[in-house]
């Protein structure tokens, strides 16, 4: 380092040449100065920094620089040959069990100033289409590379019978309640549809005018009817949406691959939702207080719809859900029809029974308590039962990630061939 610093003449620092001073500011002046510095250090021109050399005509200065630079090229050429020989020796001595591979387009590189530079042991960087710089380094990539991680891509759904899901909301809810589930399932490669049942969500139908389960389930039935002949879907239902889902399973058994009941009404043949909740374990004080019956036809007639007491929503349905989802539900929930609740469901083993069913239990549920969920599972056993710990009656809000994992797991289960 000491020799490098002594190559700089104090006179050169104080008195730049006329030609270099006329170049103006920027890279040209710097490159001119650096070339003169290189020539003076090489020993080819010991008087390049003298006052006499500076005052010579420009033509002679150029000739002398050309001669000096020609001599420098000869020395550089020798250095290049020696470096190349050493590099080749290094490559030839690489152990056989090494993973190192000699780059196929290993080549020399020249300096940016126009002169010949030393041989480079690394390829010139290339830019990929994404804008990243790729080098020719052939060492084994680390598994903890901070830029590109192996298997970092989101795993898609494995081969299954279908990757299309249809989400059916519960009583009082709408398609809006599935916004988290829709996002998570789509990230896993699913095509997801959420329906608004009649009188729910953005439906303009007055809930009090709905008189049957068929009427309430019309949007779901129309959707299944519109599917292509060989297309199947996975039905996912919540709460009272389970009754609508069961009705659709009986109507369109060839359109449904699997049915998933999430803390949902899963009725046996000849049973109604009201029958289910009339059991000793099916009702509690909070449930009775949270429901408000509406009588559009007068109190001398049966109720026409059921609504929720907004002041009890947190304790009854959303006690484990985030406050923002509680707020969303408070302004979005609508009354749901009463007539479908008292209607008995009639299903057959040939249609309804041919579809694979799965049940997801919500373990912190106050609206449909765990004992009542167990009663439904015992009376109408599904193929498999899953548990969502820490989930209230709205697991799509309280445990969205865990719910998504279970749904993906169910979707991946290989379909059974009919015997």
């Amino acid at each position: 380092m000491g020799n490098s610093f002594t190559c700089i003449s104090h006179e050169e620092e104080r008195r730049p040449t006329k030609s270099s001073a006329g170049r103006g500011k920027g890279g040209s002046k710097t490159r001119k100065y650096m070339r003169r510095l290189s020539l003076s250090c090489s020993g080819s021109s010991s008087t390049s920094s003298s006052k006499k050399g500076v005052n010579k005509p420009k033509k002679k200065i150029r000739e002398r620089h050309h001669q000096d630079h020609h001599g420098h090229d000869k020395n550089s050429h020798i250095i290049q040959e020696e470096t190349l020989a050493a590099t080749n020796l290094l490559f030839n001595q690489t152990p056989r069990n090494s993973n190192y591979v000699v780059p196929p387009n290993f080549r020399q590189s020249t300096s940016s100033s126009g002169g010949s530079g030393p041989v480079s042991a690394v390829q010139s960087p290339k830019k990929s289409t994404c804008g990243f710089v790729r080098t020719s380094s052939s060492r084994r990539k680390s598994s903890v590379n901070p830029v590109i991680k192996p298997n970092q891509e989101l795993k898609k759904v494995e081969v299954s019978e279908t990757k299309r899901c249809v989400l059916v909301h519960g009583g009082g809810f709408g398609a809006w309640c599935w916004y988290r589930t829709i996002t998570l399932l789509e990230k896993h490669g699913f095509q997801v549809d959420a329906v608004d049942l009649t009188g729910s969500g953005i439906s303009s139908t007055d809930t009090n005018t709905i008189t049957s389960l068929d009427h309430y389930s019309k949007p779901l039935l129309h959707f299944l009817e519109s599917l292509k002949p060989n297309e199947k879907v996975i039905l996912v239902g919540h709460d009272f949406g389970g009754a609508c889902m069961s009705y659709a399973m009986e109507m369109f058994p060839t359109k449904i691959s699997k049915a998933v009941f999430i803390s949902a009404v899963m009725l046996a043949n000849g049973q109604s939702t009201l029958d289910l909740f009339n059991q000793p374990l099916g009702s509690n004080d909070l449930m009775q207080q949270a429901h408000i019956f509406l009588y559009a036809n007068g109190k001398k007639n049966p109720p026409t719809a059921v609504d929720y007491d907004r002041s009890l929503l947190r304790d009854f349905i959303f006690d484990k859900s985030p406050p923002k989802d509680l707020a969303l539900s408070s302004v979005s929930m609508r009354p749901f029809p009463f007539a479908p609740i008292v209607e008995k469901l009639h299903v057959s083993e040939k249609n309804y029974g041919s579809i694979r069913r799965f049940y997801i239990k919500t373990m912190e549920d106050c609206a449909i308590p765990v004992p009542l969920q167990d009663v439904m599972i015992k009376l109408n056993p599904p193929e498999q039962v899953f548990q969502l710990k820490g989930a209230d009656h709205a697991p799509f809000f309280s445990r969205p990630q865990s719910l998504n994992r279970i749904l993906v797991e169910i979707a991946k289960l290989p379909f059974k061939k009919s015997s």
Side-chain angles (χ1 to χ4, degrees):
M1 291 295 291
N3 294 335
S4 299
F5 285 117
T6 56
C7 290
I8 303 176
S9 170
H10 296 287
E11 190 172 358
E12 274 189 331
E13 292 179 340
R14 294 193 305 270
R15 302 179 60 181
T17 62
K18 182 178 179 181
S19 59
S20 62
R23 285 293 186 91
K25 299 180 180 180
S28 300
K29 182 176 178 180
T30 303
R31 287 194 297 270
K32 181 71 175 179
Y33 179 76
M34 292 303 297
R35 193 196 307 188
R36 294 185 58 206
L37 176 61
S38 176
L39 292 174
S40 64
C41 291
S42 64
S44 301
S45 178
S46 59
T47 61
S48 62
S49 62
S50 66
K51 186 182 298 186
K52 182 178 179 180
V54 172
N55 295 330
K56 282 187 178 182
K58 293 182 179 180
K59 183 177 180 181
K60 292 184 178 181
I61 292 177
R62 292 194 188 99
E63 291 177 355
R64 187 182 62 190
H65 283 183
H66 175 72
Q67 293 173 359
D68 294 341
H69 191 64
H70 181 69
H72 176 73
D73 286 346
K74 291 182 179 180
N75 294 335
S76 178
H77 182 67
I78 295 174
I79 295 174
Q80 290 179 10
E81 291 182 349
E82 293 176 352
T83 306
L84 181 59
T87 305
N88 291 334
L89 179 62
L90 174 63
F91 289 156
N92 293 334
Q93 291 180 351
T94 302
R96 292 185 178 183
N97 60 349
S98 173
N99 291 321
Y100 189 87
V101 179
V102 180
N105 55 345
F106 177 85
R107 61 183 179 85
Q108 298 180 357
S109 65
T110 57
S111 64
S112 59
S113 61
S116 299
V119 176
S120 173
V122 181
Q123 297 179 32
S124 298
K126 297 182 180 179
K127 279 195 174 182
S128 67
T129 56
C130 298
F132 294 104
V133 176
R134 298 181 300 179
T135 68
S136 62
S137 174
S138 56
R139 66 180 177 84
R140 181 177 296 176
K141 297 296 186 294
S142 172
S143 60
V144 293
N145 192 304
V147 179
I148 302 175
K149 297 180 181 179
N151 302 326
Q152 191 177 19
E153 293 185 0
L154 188 64
K155 293 182 179 179
K156 302 297 182 182
V157 179
E158 296 174 357
V159 178
S160 59
E161 195 171 4
T162 180
K163 292 192 291 185
R164 189 170 188 180
C165 289
V166 180
L167 309 180
V168 185
H169 63 81
F173 292 86
W176 52 266
C177 73
W178 297 107
Y179 76 94
R180 292 178 184 268
T181 305
I182 292 172
T183 303
L184 294 171
L185 287 175
E186 286 180 344
K187 286 183 178 180
H188 282 80
F190 286 96
Q191 180 181 351
V192 188
D193 300 277
V195 298
D196 275 320
L197 298 174
T198 308
S200 305
I202 62 173
S203 173
S204 59
T205 303
D206 183 2
T207 308
N208 295 289
T209 63
I210 301 172
T211 58
S212 66
L213 188 58
D214 180 82
H215 189 190
Y216 187 49
S217 307
K218 278 294 183 185
L220 176 60
L221 302 179
H222 287 162
F223 180 88
L224 295 174
E225 189 177 13
S226 67
L227 294 175
K228 297 177 182 179
N230 297 325
E231 187 176 7
K232 290 190 174 186
V233 298
I234 298 174
L235 279 187
V236 180
H238 170 249
D239 189 73
F240 187 52
C244 300
M245 191 166 65
S246 299
Y247 186 81
M249 292 165 64
E250 180 66 23
M251 298 286 292
F252 298 95
T254 61
K255 301 286 187 179
I256 303 167
S257 170
K258 298 168 185 172
V260 184
F261 294 76
I262 305 173
S263 184
V265 174
M266 188 171 65
L267 303 174
N269 183 41
Q271 190 179 33
S272 70
T273 303
L274 186 62
D275 293 337
L276 181 68
F277 282 91
N278 277 337
Q279 299 185 43
L281 297 176
S283 178
N284 54 49
D285 293 338
L286 182 59
M287 182 181 297
Q288 294 176 1
Q289 296 172 11
H291 288 114
I292 302 174
F293 292 93
L294 306 179
Y295 298 84
N297 299 326
K299 289 194 175 181
K300 292 183 179 181
N301 296 306
T304 54
V306 183
D307 201 359
Y308 290 109
D309 185 340
R310 296 298 190 270
S311 65
L312 297 176
L313 281 180
R314 173 180 290 278
D315 295 335
F316 185 56
I317 299 177
F318 306 106
D319 59 315
K320 302 295 180 182
S321 299
K324 62 179 181 181
D325 293 319
L326 170 62
L328 172 66
S329 303
S330 298
V331 299
S332 303
M333 295 184 76
R334 295 176 57 180
F336 56 98
F338 182 76
I341 296 177
V342 299
E343 183 178 335
K344 294 185 181 296
L345 179 68
H346 297 282
V347 293
S348 64
E349 188 65 25
K350 178 182 178 181
N351 294 344
Y352 172 86
S354 66
I355 300 173
R356 302 173 66 185
R357 288 178 293 111
F358 302 87
Y359 200 95
I360 300 178
K361 295 171 60 177
T362 46
M363 305 308 292
E364 303 292 335
D365 198 327
C366 295
I368 302 183
V370 173
L372 183 57
Q373 297 178 51
D374 290 334
V375 169
M376 291 186 288
I377 293 171
K378 184 177 180 180
L379 291 176
N380 191 15
E383 179 179 323
Q384 194 170 347
V385 178
F386 298 84
Q387 293 185 2
L388 264 179
K389 295 182 179 180
D392 55 24
H393 189 58
F396 34 77
F397 292 153
S398 59
R399 301 289 289 173
Q401 297 285 353
S402 299
L403 174 61
N404 178 71
R405 282 194 292 269
I406 294 177
L407 293 177
V408 172
E409 180 181 347
I410 293 174
K412 289 181 179 180
L413 292 175
F415 61 90
K416 293 181 178 180
K417 296 182 179 179
S418 57
S419 55

